[in-house]
Amino acid sequence: MSGTGELVVARPAHGVVVLELHRPRRRNALTLALMAALAATLDALAADGETRCVVLTGAPPAFCAGGDLAELRDGDARHYAAYCASYRTIARAVRGLGCPLVAAINGPAVAGGLELACLADLRLVAEDAFLAGGDARLGLPTTSGLSWLLPRLVGVGQARRILFTDVRVGAREALALGLAEEVHAADALVARAVELAAEIAAMPGSGIARTRRLIDDGLTSTHEQAMAAELDEQAAAYGDPAVQEAFAAFFTR
């Protein structure tokens, strides 16, 4: 393992990186320094040529409690604006990662923690965890593009319910709403996330990265545009030696 102290980095399987927010006494609340470390690490992973799937989790007992209000309390409006802009930096780093991000939500994911969860491609949630908006209690709107992301995950009505109220969305409800893809016991969660990430990482060539990009782009394109983009990506992927090897292996079974 390595990292800055507040962000622990591990490589438990080939092509898989686990990032752990590590401020357990503050329930992994996000400071400017931690957000900068997270964004910089994601940018580095995007460029390393080795990482094929990333798992993001938190040091128990929480996934992420959102912003560190103690840090915000002592800042001025300029400091607060810089803090909010850091969420956008992380969102852009996730979008530019080039490989899937799996959130292993091992405990409460509140406010900025919910935003991190929704930025992920897949969300695995511990049975005793919950997700919540949190910002409404402070009179604040969303950041990280959550106003765009959450309605696409759970629908407009449910997004409004989550963001307008103090509702805590438990693991089973999150699964039913489409806010989680899997639910597991807390002590098995990260291991399952790594297993899933390893399965994704083992897929040949750049097909997963291309599909991820197509899904993201398809959210704001027409059906016709999506089909045209798929044809371009298929043509580019077909020439990949790893794809040709996978084809050959298929016909020699």
Side-chain angles (χ1 to χ4, degrees), residues 112-125:
L114 173 63
E115 293 173 6
L116 288 180
C118 290
L119 285 169
D121 296 275
L122 298 167
R123 284 154 293 280
L124 279 57
V125 182

Side-chain angles (χ1 to χ4, degrees), residues 45-165:
L45 294 176
D48 72 4
E50 299 177 3
T51 302
R52 294 177 62 84
C53 195
V54 177
V55 175
L56 177 64
T57 192
F63 175 71
C64 177
D68 191 324
L69 298 183
E71 182 179 71
L72 295 177
R73 177 185 57 201
D74 299 327
D76 57 14
R78 182 176 296 179
H79 177 87
Y80 182 69
Y83 180 82
C84 291
S86 294
Y87 280 98
R88 182 174 61 183
T89 301
I90 291 172
R92 287 174 171 169
V94 172
R95 189 172 62 195
L97 183 57
C99 68
L101 176 67
V102 178
I105 303 168
N106 58 305
V110 181
L114 173 63
E115 293 173 6
L116 288 180
C118 290
L119 285 169
D121 296 275
L122 298 167
R123 284 154 293 280
L124 279 57
V125 182
E127 289 175 335
D128 57 353
F130 68 84
L131 303 96
D135 286 329
R137 289 178 291 128
L138 298 174
L140 295 172
T142 59
T143 49
S144 307
L146 188 63
S147 60
W148 188 90
L149 290 166
L150 190 57
R152 285 166 169 77
L153 290 171
V154 302
V156 173
Q158 290 293 347
R160 286 174 170 153
R161 180 177 73 97
I162 293 168
L163 297 177
F164 291 178
T165 71

Side-chain angles (χ1 to χ4, degrees), residues 132-213:
D135 286 329
R137 289 178 291 128
L138 298 174
L140 295 172
T142 59
T143 49
S144 307
L146 188 63
S147 60
W148 188 90
L149 290 166
L150 190 57
R152 285 166 169 77
L153 290 171
V154 302
V156 173
Q158 290 293 347
R160 286 174 170 153
R161 180 177 73 97
I162 293 168
L163 297 177
F164 291 178
T165 71
D166 276 337
V167 64
R168 293 184 173 188
V169 180
R172 293 296 169 185
E173 183 183 4
L175 185 64
L177 289 176
L179 192 52
E181 279 66 56
E182 297 182 14
V183 173
H184 297 281
D187 60 1
L189 183 75
V190 174
R192 169 55 189 154
V194 169
E195 178 185 45
L196 176 60
E199 180 183 351
I200 293 169
M203 297 300 176
S206 58
I208 297 297
R210 294 176 186 280
T211 299
R212 182 182 192 254
R213 184 165 59 245

Side-chain angles (χ1 to χ4, degrees), residues 12-38:
H14 181 70
V16 176
V17 174
V18 175
L19 304 179
E20 181 189 80
L21 306 176
H22 196 79
R23 302 186 72 221
R25 293 184 179 181
R26 299 292 297 169
R27 302 176 73 80
N28 306 317
L30 298 169
T31 61
L32 278 169
L34 178 53
M35 288 195 289
L38 178 57

